[in-house]
Structures are given as structure tokens and as C-alpha cells.
Amino acid sequence: MTAVLKTEFLGQKYENPFMNASGVHCLTVNELDELKRSKAGAFITKSATTLERAGNPEPRYYATALGSINSMGLPNKGFQYYLDYVVDYQKNDSDGKAPFFSVAGMSRDENINILKIIQRSDFQGVTELNLSCPNVPGKPQVGYDFQMTEQILTQVFEFFRKPLGVKLPPYFDFAHFDIVANILNKFPLAYVNCVNSVGNGLYVDAASESVVIKPKNGFGGIGGDYIKPTALANVRAFYTRLNPTIKVIGTGGIASGQDAFEHLLCGATMLQVGTALYEEGISVFERLEKELKEVMTQKGYKTIEEFRGQLRTL
């Protein structure tokens, strides 16, 4: 018996559930094309702002023994750069790996304006609205302002009719899971992406008695092994609280086939890889695909749907 990783998501069929996490290996057309040619089932663009941004000063990423810390500051080539790419891809490629389009305005008005342009555009794919960037100095995460989150989504769905998902920050309290799920269930969202990095961690180099990244005096988003339990908790919390029509993408700490299996078991449909992709490069997808098949075969599963969401409790 050979395990099969074929995945259906929003009516589209993918060879496997793996994607890059927005922000990793997706800044330029060349990087996006490398993802297209990789073993990833799908891929997503860098979160775009209206105008090009250089991002925060370097060093702004640091690998640690258990993951990473970063404060990138939304470096991107600007909204039009990525819109041109995804529209051109849609017209000229039929490989079934249509890119998701991530956007992250610096204000509510900017988000609305960007989404209005997408609604009017020829792009018919999936848009992801990033409500959870923790690394822009002076800009709080929208996802932690519940009233603002509801206001933005209310305004968006007055005009937006294309598939839209939201990328969420990690939540840490059952009350917050309940509040956010109640808000999200009011809207025809395609999916939620759980989670962005755990914001404003601090990593200290004891030898130099210093922080390791320059922006924000060393404070940055934590990713990798550190955050897998938090990511799994958020995947499970929203999988069990959201309307069944709202799918969950699992992101956080996926560096092995077992990590992927755990996210799927908790209820994720697609999986995004960040730190492991940054450290290993696009060959990570081939390894993850192989390892996930091995885990499934050992457990006697032929398809993901046989176990997705079937986490047991004691």
C-alpha cells in the first residue's frame, strides 16, 4: 500500500498539502518560479503592501537551535508586482499549482483598497489577508484587536466575492479562541491560517551578551520547533469551532513528516512551511512528502482524509 497525499482545497486539487509560508522564499519572481518547480503542492506570494518596502534593517533573521527569530518588517516588491505575477500565471500555466496571493496593508484603508483592486482584477485565485504581522515597528497586530478584525471583515465582504482566507496570530486563551471564532463564523471566509510567528520574543547570545537581530532592539517573531505546540493548539481550536465550510491551514514548526501528520490530525487541510524552508531550501518539500508518506504507511493510512481532524482526547 502506497500512501497518497492528494489534497482538495477550495475546489482545487493538489498533489500534496505542502506550501511555503508567506514571507519565505517568495519575494521575487525567481523565487516564486522555484516554488512552482518544487515538490510543494501549492505556493503563496510574499505579503504585499501597496508600495515596495525594503523592510527592517539587517540582521533581521537568526537561526537558533530550536527554530528562528526574525523581524523582517514586510519587505516586498509592491502589490502590482505580485498581482502581475499571479494573473500571468493564471493565464499561462495549467499545472494545478496556482499561487495564493498574500496581502498585508499597513492600515485598514490600505487593506480595503488592495482588496478592491483584486476584486476588479482578472485574478480568480485565492487571496490571503494577513491580519497578524508582528514585526512592523509601531504597528500592532490587527488580529489581537477583535473589534477592528470584525470591522475590517465586515467592510471587506460588502464587496469582495472571491475566495479569501485570513492569516491569524497565535491565541493563548480559550476565551480568545471563542471570541475570534464567533467573529470569523459571521463571514464567508474560505479558510484561516494558524499561525503566524509568536510575536516579540527575544533571543540572547550569552557569549556576546547581546541580542541577535537589529530591529526593535532584538525583539522578533519566533518560529520553528518552539511554536509547534502553540500552532497545533490553534489549528485544533479553530477546526473545532469554525463552520465546516471554513478550512484551516496549519503553519508553525513543520520540519518533518511527523510534524505534518500532527497538523493534519488536528484538522489542517493545507500545510505551510517557514523556518525549515528558510534553512533547507526548496528540497525540503520532497523530504517532507516522503516522510509524511512513510508515517501514513506505518499507520496504515492510504489517504489524508482517513485521519484528518481525528485527534483523540483522553
Side-chain angles (χ1 to χ4, degrees):
M1 182 186 73
T2 303
V4 176
L5 301 187
K6 289 187 186 300
T7 299
E8 185 168 331
F9 188 73
L10 309 182
Q12 177 83 32
K13 290 183 170 61
Y14 299 99
E15 286 299 310
N16 65 63
F18 294 109
M19 305 172 62
N20 64 303
S22 180
V24 184
H25 208 95
C26 55
L27 178 65
T28 65
V29 164
N30 285 341
E31 289 183 336
L32 290 166
D33 282 345
E34 287 177 1
L35 287 170
K36 176 178 73 171
R37 294 189 295 267
S38 77
K39 286 288 190 177
F43 63 107
I44 188 167
T45 66
K46 186 76 180 71
S47 291
T49 51
T50 304
L51 301 177
E52 182 174 2
R53 285 176 57 87
N56 292 339
E58 296 182 343
R60 57 193 186 187
Y61 174 94
Y62 186 86
T64 72
L66 293 175
S68 62
I69 183 170
N70 85 87
S71 183
M72 305 302 285
L74 283 177
N76 73 95
K77 297 291 187 180
F79 170 77
Q80 194 63 47
Y81 179 92
Y82 301 106
L83 180 61
D84 289 344
Y85 179 85
V86 296
V87 169
D88 183 66
Y89 193 108
Q90 184 178 274
K91 290 177 180 176
N92 298 309
D93 284 277
S94 57
D95 61 1
K97 199 189 273 193
F100 292 41
F101 186 13
S102 178
V103 297
M106 304 296 285
S107 67
R108 176 168 58 177
D109 287 346
E110 185 178 359
N111 279 324
I112 297 300
N113 290 336
I114 285 174
L115 290 171
K116 282 182 175 178
I117 297 171
I118 294 174
Q119 178 61 36
R120 294 193 300 264
S121 76
D122 292 334
F123 179 59
Q124 300 301 322
V126 181
T127 301
E128 179 171 288
L129 176 61
N130 187 343
L131 297 177
S132 57
C133 181
N135 299 318
V136 177
K139 298 290 182 180
Q141 293 193 55
V142 173
Y144 287 142
D145 184 331
F146 304 141
Q147 184 177 10
M148 176 69 77
T149 297
E150 184 164 6
Q151 288 173 353
I152 288 176
L153 292 177
T154 298
Q155 202 169 348
V156 165
F157 283 108
E158 287 175 355
F159 65 86
F160 202 81
R161 299 293 178 265
K162 297 177 178 180
L164 182 72
V166 290
K167 187 165 188 178
L168 298 175
Y171 299 100
F172 305 96
D173 194 290
F174 274 83
H176 294 161
F177 292 143
D178 292 338
I179 292 167
V180 175
N182 287 336
I183 292 170
L184 299 177
N185 278 331
K186 296 178 182 180
F187 302 99
L189 284 164
Y191 71 87
V192 298
N193 186 345
C194 305
V195 294
N196 209 327
S197 56
V198 173
N200 296 316
L202 190 68
Y203 189 87
V204 173
D205 182 339
S208 62
E209 302 179 14
S210 171
V211 300
V212 294
I213 56 174
K214 185 172 183 177
K216 296 169 64 175
N217 294 318
F219 285 72
I222 302 298
D225 290 356
Y226 294 112
I227 75 165
K228 188 178 76 168
T230 297
L232 293 174
N234 278 259
V235 167
R236 189 63 181 172
F238 285 106
Y239 177 75
T240 56
R241 284 169 173 78
L242 292 177
N243 298 329
T245 54
I246 304 176
K247 304 304 179 185
V248 180
I249 293 180
T251 307
I254 298 175
S256 70
Q258 181 174 315
D259 298 330
F261 179 84
E262 292 171 11
H263 269 268
L264 295 166
L265 190 66
C266 286
T269 300
M270 300 290 283
L271 307 170
Q272 292 187 359
V273 184
T275 297
L277 171 59
Y278 193 103
E279 293 300 318
E280 194 171 327
I282 57 172
S283 63
V284 71
F285 293 112
E286 186 171 5
R287 178 176 64 78
L288 290 173
E289 183 181 38
K290 177 175 176 289
E291 290 180 1
L292 177 55
K293 284 182 177 179
E294 289 172 350
V295 172
M296 289 170 58
T297 299
Q298 288 168 4
K299 289 178 167 289
Y301 293 121
K302 188 173 183 181
T303 68
I304 290 172
E305 287 307 307
E306 292 172 30
F307 66 89
R308 191 177 65 80
Q310 300 301 309
L311 182 69
R312 300 170 186 163
T313 54
L314 303 180

